[in-house]
């Protein structure tokens, strides 16, 4: 899998996409579910969580959209993604002791991007 759009949290991969126009990160929700739950099937976990959130009237899920991201099998597949704000709301619905460290990690990812914007010298090669 191409690592340029992958961030690591506790050695687990989270696929990301940077929207230059909106200046915003998008994160694969399935990858975040995998990190927080250690589920054997994070896709099924997200599908069930999404159903529950929709039933509760949570609009965060409605506002999430799909992006094509490189899947572990090497193919580009449509994946549900969330921006940082949406992701924080979704994380609140996942009972996990990793939630707080993950929130800190999200802040770090955002801070790194801000630093790159301010000082291009700290910017890694990005295509």
């Amino acid at each position: 899998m191409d690592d340029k759009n992958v961030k690591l949290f506790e050695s687990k991969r989270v696929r990301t996409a940077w929207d230059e126009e909106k200046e915003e990160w998008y994160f694969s929700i399935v990858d975040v579910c995998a990190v927080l739950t250690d589920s054997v099937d994070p896709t099924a976990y997200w599908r069930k969580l999404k159903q529950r959130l929709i039933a509760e009237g949570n609009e965060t899920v409605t506002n999430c959209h799909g992006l094509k991201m490189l899947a572990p099998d090497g193919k580009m597949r449509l994946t549900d993604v969330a921006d940082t704000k949406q992701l924080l709301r979704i994380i609140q619905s996942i009972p996990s002791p990793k939630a707080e460290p993950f929130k800190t990690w999200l802040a770090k990812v955002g801070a790194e991007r801000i630093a790159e914007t301010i000082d291009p010298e700290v910017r890694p090669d990005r295509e």
Side-chain angles (χ1 to χ4, degrees):
M1 186 184 295
D2 182 11
D3 285 343
K4 76 176 183 177
N5 291 320
V6 172
K7 303 290 182 196
L8 293 178
F9 174 78
E10 295 182 354
S11 75
K12 292 194 178 178
R13 302 162 76 86
V14 177
R15 290 170 293 163
T16 64
W18 175 252
D19 185 323
E20 289 285 342
E21 187 177 307
K22 294 181 181 177
E23 295 187 349
E24 198 160 42
W25 280 111
Y26 289 92
F27 299 87
S28 163
I29 299 171
V30 169
D31 293 355
V32 173
C33 288
V35 166
L36 295 180
T37 67
D38 293 322
S39 172
V40 294
D41 190 349
T43 302
Y45 187 97
W46 168 235
R47 191 170 39 250
K48 193 69 175 170
L49 178 61
K50 184 169 30 173
Q51 288 173 347
R52 192 183 85 220
L53 292 171
I54 289 170
E56 292 172 358
N58 186 322
E59 291 186 25
T60 300
V61 176
T62 307
N63 295 330
C64 292
H65 62 280
L67 287 179
K68 284 200 172 190
M69 294 184 145
L70 191 62
D73 65 4
K75 295 181 181 176
M76 295 299 285
R77 300 197 185 274
L78 197 60
T79 304
D80 283 345
V81 297
D83 64 25
T84 304
K85 183 178 176 183
Q86 293 165 327
L87 197 56
L88 288 169
R89 294 194 65 197
I90 292 168
I91 291 168
Q92 290 173 336
S93 302
I94 301 174
S96 172
K98 296 180 184 176
E100 286 307 315
F102 193 84
K103 289 177 190 176
T104 302
W105 176 82
L106 272 178
K108 181 179 175 230
V109 169
E112 287 172 357
R113 183 62 187 175
I114 290 169
E116 291 172 15
T117 304
I118 293 169
D119 184 0
E121 295 282 322
V122 299
R123 180 181 195 184
D125 288 335
R126 211 188 297 275
E127 293 181 19

